[in-house]
Amino acid sequence: MSTPQPLTDSSALTANRARANKDDLFLHVAAMDELQDRLQSVNRTFTAPAVVNGYSNFWGNQIPNAVSVADTDLLELDQNAHDLVIHAMSLHWANDPVGQIIQCKRALQNDGLFLAVCFGGQTLHELRACLGQAEIEIMGGLSPRIAPMAELRDMGGLLQRAGLALPVADVANLNVTYRDIWHLMHDLRAMGETNALMSRQRKATPRAVFERANTLYCETFPAKDGGITATFDLLFLAGWAPDDSQPKPLRPGSAAQRLADALGTQENPLSD
């Protein structure tokens, strides 16, 4: 049986990240702020954290005393070594997202916390639509340019598949205004988030495609005060390594009081 082609070209992703400018990682800053808010809501002091990431020059300094680990297919995490593992802004490039989460879970101590943040949902849907239409009009075909983005429900399901307890998934929607499509692509390049798909087109794209895409973008997704709007959805995932101390759901039928009595309402049986 043939091995399926990986989604991400790791060499291209590494090269893209090497060209990134750490001063332009404003979305990583926003992600870190959101993660800090979530950590502050947890009544726990973490003494052995680890951060899985593709930008150690940024994320390696965000969590005090954290071990910084590259987001390779096989994570260099010791089993049962950490009480907190954060997967930071790289899960959307993973060839095996559930495998990444499972590896993080194995690195957690009992009742350890897993947190992740990545792009997903409607991220860059405007750019995807305009580039796709422009390419079809001018070149008569379509090539992969933007990584497929997972929906919140799908990512939440990965937590359960990985065996994490008390899973929670939510999203922060960010809308950013740019002058034009070239301004947006410059920002993506500065963040190391340009095309690293294994199935990407390897030859240069005619400038006419981008000019047409810019026209479509300005017509279809204009910003209120001029320019264009780009959507970035930050998906946040949280789950705990199972432990006997964690709350458990009651066995069905074990309630000592009827729900109707607790709510003070009349219970009306359904007819047969």
Side-chain angles (χ1 to χ4, degrees), residues 1 7 17 27 63 152 179 183-184 195 218 231-232 249:
M1 187 171 68
L7 172 71
R17 288 171 171 176
L27 291 173
I63 307 295
L152 186 64
R179 293 188 302 272
H183 185 201
L184 167 58
N195 195 350
C218 293
T231 297
F232 295 94

Side-chain angles (χ1 to χ4, degrees), residues 258 266-272:
R258 296 188 313 139
Q266 179 67 39
E267 182 179 19
N268 298 314
L270 294 175
S271 58
D272 295 334

Side-chain angles (χ1 to χ4, degrees), residues 65-76:
N65 304 317
V67 174
S68 182
V69 177
D71 60 331
T72 52
D73 289 341
L74 295 177
L75 303 178
E76 295 185 3

Side-chain angles (χ1 to χ4, degrees), residues 25-42 46 58-59 62-63 84 86-89 113-119 152 168-175 232-238:
L25 300 177
F26 69 97
L27 291 173
H28 289 245
V29 174
M32 185 65 246
D33 289 343
E34 290 279 352
L35 285 175
Q36 291 285 13
D37 288 343
R38 285 160 171 76
L39 285 172
Q40 289 176 5
S41 67
V42 178
F46 298 101
F58 175 82
W59 286 96
Q62 298 301 314
I63 307 295
L84 170 66
I86 296 175
H87 206 297
M89 292 296 282
L113 176 61
F114 169 77
L115 289 175
V117 56
C118 64
F119 290 126
L152 186 64
V168 176
D170 65 307
V171 60
N173 308 107
L174 303 177
N175 293 314
F232 295 94
D233 283 352
L234 295 178
L235 305 188
F236 293 88
L237 310 175

